[in-house]
Amino acid sequence: MTINISFQKSEYQKADTLIVGVFEDGALSDPAEILDNYLDGTLSYAIKANSKFKGKVGQALHISAYDQDFRQIIIIGVGKEADLDHKVAEEIGGKLLSTLKTYGAGQANIRLSGSHDFEKITAAEFANRIATGLHLKSYEFNKYKSKKNEKKSEGLQKLVITTNAAPEAEKLYKDTSKICDGVFLSRDLINEPPNQLHPESYAELIKDELKPLGVEVEVLDEKKMQKLGFGALLSVGQGSIRDSRLVIMKWNGNKKSKKSPLALVGKGVTFDTGGISLKPPAEMDLMKMDMGGSAAVVGAMKAIAGRKAKANVIGVVGLVENMPSDRAYRPGDIITSHAGKTIEVLNTDAEGRLVLADALTYVQEKYKPEVIIDLATLTGAIMVALGFEYCGAFANDHDLWDQLSLASSDANEKFWRMPLDEAYRKEMESEVGDLKNLGSLGRYGGACSAAGFLEHFIEDKVKWAHIDIAGTAWGKSEKPTVPKGGTGFAVRTLDRLVSHYYEARK
């Protein structure tokens, strides 16, 4: 669904649906009070007559109207004024779109309180975040619905947000909309079926999406990776008829800078059967989302390039398909990584860390970054620990964690710091090789030992964070701004991280 969102100062906008806000204590917002007086107390009467409407965040009350400028009024609850912040504003926007769909709004005008700032958020940012929430909620994935069965979209086409802070809000939303584009690309990638999105087609899609934005894209095929000694990554993909790929994305937004680029690395297992260590059949179809880490990196690169960030960022994604066959790698195999470290394979379903090991080594060897962030749907153990609300974040530097924590809060995405410890590193040492790809305690501390494995491939003095998004890359239920299916999780956090800490100030 494509919605034209704009911001204007003018109080009067012709639309079929007019939206005004009411606080949880029953107080009308300034525009609601003006409208209530114009309609001889109609809003106040409707609120008093409906005992269920309390003005809670996103709660809606519908009034049919007979006016030459609008046919219906939506009173939207905005909660307590003291609680208004960017998270609440996005929730209001997301829930508002659902309400507008319910009442068949085609063109709508939401009137916000004047230009005064709230305690926790400015008027401009409040307007921007409402637009952001509505924008994120508008995502649909209906690419594979046949036209004869596809319902015609009759949803919202145009939204005008009226606020005295319109110029600043419009400026903020110009960048925000580009970030949403990155989130939508990430969601699309995760939702794609595995017979359509495989390593080769994925690499081509990345080029099609990012090169027009000015991102340099390089693709390493299997022959190139064999020459470079990518023994870990290639072992994972060798059981599939689909050849593996490594894709490097370079955004040079600050050509004057002599600093090392920020490196983002993503796991891209386009389908994970578990290999010879075959997964149980229940919900194996969801293993199309095992490339969620790569989708976050690709989506972030689109957001960063789309808003022309003044920063230098390298994105690297390892793309493989993990399949069982007569060519597949086996439990008991010993493979040699790009770093030269040998790895004893104990379970072929612990494959993501092998893909990341070679990608992490390559990006350090080639680009010498001071900071690396890798993202992966890596372990079921992180879901045992954190469920589906939080991702697990492992960081070897306190300042980097603080940056991630603040960026994720701004992005309304939940990060929880997990421990890195020498004990987890040591647990991944093998008796017959340098390392093993599975800890000895199974899922007990499995997310931590997986991070400990990856830490063996991080060079000294390199700041590094590992983000395990196994529980957050796929939504099992709908949320105010996030759909079921691919969530695009971490795209916004990565973009905010770049904006706040790695981008040259204008």
Side-chain angles (χ1 to χ4, degrees):
M1 180 190 298
T2 301
I3 302 171
N4 179 6
I5 300 176
S6 61
F7 303 82
Q8 294 189 22
K9 277 190 172 183
S10 173
E11 180 68 24
Y12 300 101
Q13 297 293 328
K14 189 172 183 179
D16 60 46
T17 305
L18 182 61
I19 307 149
V20 291
V22 173
F23 295 103
E24 191 172 333
D25 59 7
L28 301 178
S29 65
D30 293 343
E33 189 171 355
I34 292 170
L35 183 63
D36 191 43
N37 292 332
Y38 174 69
L39 296 176
D40 298 324
T42 298
L43 272 63
S44 298
Y45 176 80
I47 293 169
K48 290 178 181 177
N50 191 316
S51 60
K52 293 182 178 180
F53 182 79
K54 304 296 183 182
K56 294 184 180 295
V57 174
Q59 194 176 19
L61 184 61
H62 174 263
I63 301 174
S64 295
Y66 301 93
D67 189 280
Q68 61 181 357
D69 291 331
F70 50 87
R71 65 175 177 83
Q72 60 183 353
I73 299 168
I74 302 293
I75 302 173
I76 189 80
V78 298
K80 296 177 181 178
E81 184 170 358
D83 293 339
L84 287 181
D85 60 12
H86 64 280
K87 295 178 183 179
V88 172
E90 289 184 10
E91 184 176 348
I92 292 169
K95 289 183 174 181
L96 175 60
L97 181 60
S98 297
T99 299
L100 294 175
K101 282 183 179 180
T102 299
Y103 293 105
Q107 296 185 346
N109 172 214
I110 178 169
R111 297 180 182 174
L112 301 181
S113 295
S115 58
H116 77 275
D117 296 335
F118 298 103
E119 184 178 341
K120 298 178 181 178
I121 190 170
T122 66
E125 183 68 354
F126 184 59
N128 170 52
R129 293 291 185 144
I130 287 178
T132 301
L134 190 140
H135 191 154
L136 290 170
K137 181 66 173 181
S138 71
Y139 175 82
E140 295 176 339
F141 187 78
N142 50 23
K143 179 178 177 180
Y144 295 100
K145 291 184 178 180
S146 60
K147 291 184 179 180
K148 64 181 179 180
N149 294 325
E150 188 176 350
K151 294 181 179 179
K152 292 182 180 179
S153 177
E154 298 177 353
L156 184 68
Q157 291 130 35
K158 182 179 179 181
L159 174 70
V160 177
I161 300 178
T162 299
T163 172
N164 287 341
E168 181 61 24
E170 187 172 24
K171 183 179 178 182
L172 290 170
Y173 183 68
K174 183 179 179 181
D175 279 352
T176 300
S177 65
K178 299 301 181 184
I179 301 168
C180 290
D181 289 344
V183 174
F184 282 17
L185 173 59
S186 180
R187 290 175 179 176
D188 281 347
L189 291 170
I190 296 169
N191 287 327
E192 280 285 347
N195 61 324
Q196 298 296 324
L197 192 76
H198 47 80
E200 185 178 4
S201 65
Y202 192 173
E204 291 301 313
L205 188 151
I206 291 171
K207 288 195 289 187
D208 292 343
E209 287 284 344
L210 298 186
K211 289 183 75 173
L213 298 176
V215 178
E216 297 176 32
V217 180
E218 180 184 2
V219 180
L220 302 187
D221 60 17
E222 288 204 347
K223 288 184 179 179
K224 291 178 181 177
M225 286 190 283
Q226 285 168 356
K227 289 181 179 179
L228 291 168
F230 279 51
L233 184 153
L234 290 174
S235 291
V236 177
Q238 72 187 38
S240 173
I241 196 172
R242 309 284 193 184
D243 285 352
S244 302
R245 295 287 188 272
L246 188 85
V247 182
I248 303 101
M249 299 154 278
K250 291 181 277 188
W251 171 251
N252 298 311
N254 185 10
K255 295 180 181 179
K256 294 182 180 179
S257 175
K258 295 181 180 180
K259 292 184 179 180
S260 299
L262 169 67
L264 308 176
V265 179
K267 168 191 170 184
V269 180
T270 58
F271 192 74
D272 182 22
T273 64
I276 297 298
S277 306
L278 195 66
K279 290 179 179 290
E283 293 192 331
M284 193 191 282
D285 58 297
L286 295 184
M287 286 301 99
K288 67 180 183 178
M289 53 75 73
D290 209 22
M291 35 62 66
S294 67
V297 171
V298 174
M301 294 301 292
K302 180 165 186 174
I304 291 163
R307 63 178 184 79
K308 301 190 183 304
K310 294 183 179 298
N312 298 329
V313 184
I314 301 291
V316 176
V317 292
L319 309 180
V320 302
E321 187 178 58
N322 188 21
M323 298 288 284
S325 75
D326 59 334
R327 302 179 306 279
Y329 77 133
R330 297 150 295 220
D333 284 356
I334 293 182
I335 59 182
T336 303
S337 68
H338 181 50
K341 297 179 180 181
T342 58
I343 304 169
E344 179 189 10
V345 177
L346 297 181
N347 188 315
T348 63
D349 195 25
E351 86 298 333
R353 63 201 68 183
L354 303 180
V355 175
L356 288 174
D358 280 352
L360 287 168
T361 301
Y362 179 79
V363 77
Q364 290 171 97
E365 176 184 86
K366 187 74 178 287
Y367 299 104
K368 309 296 182 186
E370 293 181 8
V371 179
I372 302 175
I373 299 170
D374 79 67
L375 301 100
T377 51
L378 203 66
T379 67
I382 201 66
M383 292 187 280
V384 174
L386 300 177
F388 304 106
E389 282 296 311
Y390 286 80
C391 74
F394 301 80
N396 67 359
D397 180 83
H398 294 307
D399 289 340
L400 178 57
W401 161 247
D402 288 342
Q403 291 174 2
L404 278 168
S405 180
L406 290 170
S408 64
S409 178
D410 186 24
N412 203 10
E413 295 178 321
K414 296 180 180 179
F415 279 47
W416 189 265
R417 191 175 189 182
M418 300 289 287
L420 286 172
D421 193 279
E422 180 62 27
Y424 300 124
R425 282 172 52 90
K426 193 169 182 60
E427 185 181 339
M428 302 309 291
E429 295 175 359
S430 169
E431 293 182 2
V432 296
D434 296 324
L435 302 170
K436 56 187 179 183
N437 78 329
L438 195 68
S440 57
L441 299 178
R443 282 195 172 186
Y444 294 107
C448 299
S449 59
F453 175 88
L454 294 175
E455 196 173 10
H456 280 279
F457 296 89
I458 301 300
E459 297 175 4
D460 291 341
K461 298 183 180 180
V462 173
K463 295 180 181 180
W464 163 72
H466 161 60
I467 315 299
D468 193 336
I469 60 171
T472 53
W474 186 266
K476 290 183 175 289
S477 59
E478 194 170 281
K479 295 182 179 180
T481 62
V482 182
K484 291 182 181 179
T487 63
F489 185 90
V491 170
R492 297 178 69 197
T493 294
L494 294 175
D495 176 86
R496 294 299 82 194
L497 183 77
V498 170
S499 174
H500 295 338
Y501 303 106
Y502 297 92
E503 191 167 355
R505 296 299 100 188
K506 296 178 182 179

